[in-house]
């Protein structure tokens, strides 16, 4: 094999390898995650975003299911409306009723399902689904919210693997909401509406926190969207730079081979 061919193939392989590394660095953490807006304090209330990136180049995400642990139940889980998506809240009966603000709650939200209704998460895109949560448990440091992502080609990805201490991150890790120490007023930095809002819906009573919570959720969602868009844009820019470096490597190898041949 001639020196020029060896040089060309070496340059091509090097360029592809470098491009792949840079591109993968932008998608290594592209999995479903939960991000609190402000503080998610034990015993308090919080607004969080479920961030869903599309990891496929030839399919769009059309459904997301997020499950909530019933061993540490939340009395209130309220989704904020997302244009182009329909949200469905599923409740399950509790073996042991919750006592909250002097009331006994016999059921809690076990799952929230978002289904595309005129919209999709296309390749290279992500979507955030805001939730108001409360009252957060006081006896755990985190909540594992297992998720199932469905694409329009019928592919299903289950983000349900729990991280084991000291082990590498699993291939499909479940979203984890880290809880901070309890605050004095028991209302986290992302203060969501009182948990009685959910319970009141079944008793016909209304809670006065609804308007305030709605304003907070909209502001939190906007701030999170700007932050997430910035990080995703950086990853894409790095990917493009990697491709350009790879192409430059190929061109350099070809020119070097031609000069040796001459």
């Amino acid at each position: 094999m001639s020196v020029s061919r060896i040089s060309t193939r070496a340059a091509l392989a090097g360029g592809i390898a470098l491009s792949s590394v840079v591109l993968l660095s932008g998608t290594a953490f592209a999995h479903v995650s939960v991000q609190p807006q402000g503080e998610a304090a034990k015993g308090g209330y919080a607004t969080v975003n479920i961030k869903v990136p599309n990891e496929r180049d030839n399919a769009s995400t059309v459904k997301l299911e997020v499950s909530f642990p019933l061993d540490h139940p939340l009395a209130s889980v309220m989704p904020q409306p997302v244009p182009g998506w329909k949200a469905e809240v599923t409740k399950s009966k509790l073996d042991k009723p919750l006592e909250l603000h002097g009331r006994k709650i016999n059921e809690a939200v076990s799952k929230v399902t978002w289904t595309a209704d005129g919209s999709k998460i296309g390749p290279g895109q992500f979507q955030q689904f805001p939730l108001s949560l409360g009252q957060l448990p006081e006896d755990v440091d985190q909540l594992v919210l297992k998720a199932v992502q469905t694409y329009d080609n019928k592919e299903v990805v289950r983000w349900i693997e729990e991280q084991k201490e000291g082990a590498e991150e699993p291939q499909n890790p479940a979203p984890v909401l880290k809880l901070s120490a309890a605050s004095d007023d028991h209302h986290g930095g992302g203060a969501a509406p009182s948990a009685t809002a959910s319970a009141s819906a079944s008793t016909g009573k209304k809670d006065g926190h609804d308007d305030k919570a709605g304003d907070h959720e909209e502001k939190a969602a906007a701030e999170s969207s700007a932050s997430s868009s910035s990080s995703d844009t950086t990853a894409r820019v790095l990917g493009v730079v990697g491709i350009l470096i790879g192409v430059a490597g190929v061109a350099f190898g070809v020119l070097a081979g031609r000069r040796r041949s001459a």
Side-chain angles (χ1 to χ4, degrees):
M1 184 179 292
S2 66
V3 175
S4 62
R5 289 184 178 180
I6 294 176
S7 299
T8 300
R9 291 187 178 183
L12 179 59
I16 292 175
L18 180 58
S19 299
S20 298
V21 169
V22 177
L23 285 172
L24 289 175
S25 68
T27 59
F29 301 100
H31 50 67
V32 176
S33 60
V34 55
Q35 303 170 335
Q37 304 309 300
E39 187 179 30
K42 297 178 181 179
Y45 303 88
T47 299
V48 303
N49 278 332
I50 306 295
K51 183 179 179 182
V52 185
N54 191 340
E55 294 190 315
R56 300 294 179 263
D57 296 328
N58 58 352
S60 297
T61 297
V62 293
K63 186 178 181 181
L64 175 71
E65 301 167 79
V66 176
S67 297
F68 296 84
L70 290 180
D71 53 345
H72 297 286
L74 301 175
S76 174
V77 177
M78 297 189 298
Q80 178 176 317
V82 177
W85 293 84
K86 179 182 178 181
E88 180 181 357
V89 177
T90 301
K91 293 184 178 182
S92 297
K93 194 162 186 176
L94 299 175
D95 294 332
K96 182 179 179 181
L98 283 176
E99 287 192 11
L100 189 63
H101 302 302
R103 296 183 180 182
K104 282 190 176 182
I105 299 176
N106 296 313
E107 61 180 13
V109 173
S110 56
K111 184 170 66 174
V112 176
T113 302
W114 288 270
T115 306
D117 185 21
S119 182
K120 295 181 179 181
I121 307 175
Q125 300 178 343
F126 75 95
Q127 177 65 55
Q128 295 189 115
F129 299 94
L131 286 172
S132 171
L133 306 179
Q135 182 174 356
L136 298 175
E138 300 183 46
D139 56 349
V140 292
D141 296 323
Q142 64 181 33
L143 290 177
V144 178
L145 311 180
K146 297 183 179 181
V148 177
Q149 182 177 12
T150 303
Y151 291 87
D152 56 8
N153 62 356
K154 307 303 181 183
E155 179 185 2
V156 176
V157 181
R158 302 180 186 279
W159 304 97
I160 61 174
E161 299 177 49
E162 297 189 37
Q163 176 72 51
K164 295 182 179 180
E165 187 175 356
E168 294 184 359
E169 184 181 62
Q171 183 176 357
N172 295 319
V176 176
L177 176 62
K178 301 287 186 180
L179 304 181
S180 60
S183 57
D184 293 337
D185 60 359
H186 270 202
H187 287 269
S194 168
T196 55
S198 178
S200 297
S202 61
T203 60
K205 298 180 180 180
K206 294 185 179 180
D207 194 297
H209 293 284
D210 290 352
D211 293 339
K212 182 178 179 181
D215 293 341
H216 172 78
E217 289 174 350
E218 291 178 3
K219 181 179 179 181
E223 291 175 352
S224 174
S225 179
S227 174
S228 300
S229 297
S230 176
S231 60
D232 278 27
T233 300
T234 301
R236 292 179 187 175
V237 170
L238 288 175
V240 173
V241 171
I243 294 174
L244 294 177
I245 292 175
V247 173
V250 174
F252 177 79
V254 173
L255 292 175
R258 290 180 178 176
R259 288 178 180 176
R260 289 193 178 93
S261 298

